[in-house]
Amino acid sequence: AEVELRAEEARVWRQLTENIVEHRDDIERAVAAAAQIDIVVARYRLGEKLKGTIPVVKDEGVMNLKEARHPVLLLRDLDDVVANDIDNFGADGNQGIVLSGPNSGGKTIILKLMGLVALMARDGIPVPAQEEGARVDFFGPVLADIGDIQSVDGDLSTFSGHMLVCREVLASSGRNALVLMDEPGSGTDPSQGVAIAQALLESLLKSGSRVAITTHFLELKQLAASDDRFSVGGMQFVNGRPTYKL
């Protein structure tokens, strides 16, 4: 009886395997369809959790948002997430924004907010902002140099790490690319750093990219103030304390 039982089990497994092989293409299509439905539902649920809105999406490299909130901060269920307006970034000949302000004022958060919102719109996830006037065009690719990638193992200093990223950014930039850079030109002599940063910005603008940077370099702020392709932004301080408002 035990031998017959094992033989019957083997027969059933063999028959199931043969059926799967015979209908393999149909099964793979069904699994792919179920996965796609799962992704769409997940995107919707994330947008619902973030109280997001569906923005207008075009192919002109424009971002316009009112009361935009950082999605990661919202997912932490914080009660006092500061909302910011991003006014017609990339519109009317404007290709970039230069953000200034003291340290710990929220400049880098704005960069990350812009990058995350751009990626969310690309993937069909409602963005955390007001519905009125919301627009996030299809940016591709989204490139960022935020933070420090110095490495002892890789023989990279802070400066050489940034230069490595800058090389990749320049190679991948182009029309409607979104480039986010935190303190370009840092990690070296300021006079050399500002020259490198300015050359990098001019090259990115020439390629048609949309650029947002933070900087403490006065020369870059002056460049932005005198170049119609840039807008200049600062982080608000009230009574010596940051409000984290752009």
Side-chain angles (χ1 to χ4, degrees), residues 15-37:
Q15 183 178 349
L16 284 172
T17 303
E18 290 171 352
N19 288 340
I20 290 173
V21 171
E22 181 180 354
H23 299 286
R24 173 179 176 176
D25 292 342
D26 293 336
I27 293 172
E28 287 182 344
R29 283 195 294 270
V31 170
Q36 184 63 32
I37 292 171

Side-chain angles (χ1 to χ4, degrees), residues 111-179:
L111 291 189
K112 292 180 177 180
L113 170 63
M114 294 176 69
L116 287 171
V117 165
L119 292 173
M120 291 172 72
R122 277 175 43 145
D123 284 339
I125 302 172
V127 300
Q130 285 187 0
E131 182 177 0
E132 181 182 358
R135 176 176 174 180
V136 182
D137 284 1
F138 189 94
F139 291 95
V142 176
L143 306 165
D145 181 15
I146 298 174
D148 191 354
I149 63 167
Q150 65 172 310
S151 167
V152 175
D153 292 337
D155 296 323
L156 289 175
S157 66
T158 295
F159 177 70
S160 59
H162 282 298
M163 288 298 95
L164 185 64
V165 175
C166 288
R167 184 184 69 182
E168 298 301 319
V169 166
L170 286 172
S172 303
S173 62
R175 180 182 178 272
N176 287 354
L178 177 61
V179 180

Side-chain angles (χ1 to χ4, degrees), residues 1-9:
E2 290 290 341
V3 171
E4 289 176 356
L5 178 61
R6 286 195 294 272
E8 179 63 14
E9 288 177 345

Side-chain angles (χ1 to χ4, degrees), residues 212-225:
I213 71 164
T214 67
T215 188
H216 290 293
F217 289 139
L218 178 61
E219 292 86 350
L220 292 185
K221 300 175 192 178
Q222 292 172 338
L223 169 67

Side-chain angles (χ1 to χ4, degrees), residues 40 74 78-79 91 127 144 164 186 194 209 211 219 225 231 245-246:
V40 171
L74 292 176
L78 301 176
D79 295 328
V127 300
L164 185 64
S186 62
V194 71
S209 298
V211 185
E219 292 86 350
S231 57
K245 295 285 289 186
L246 171 62

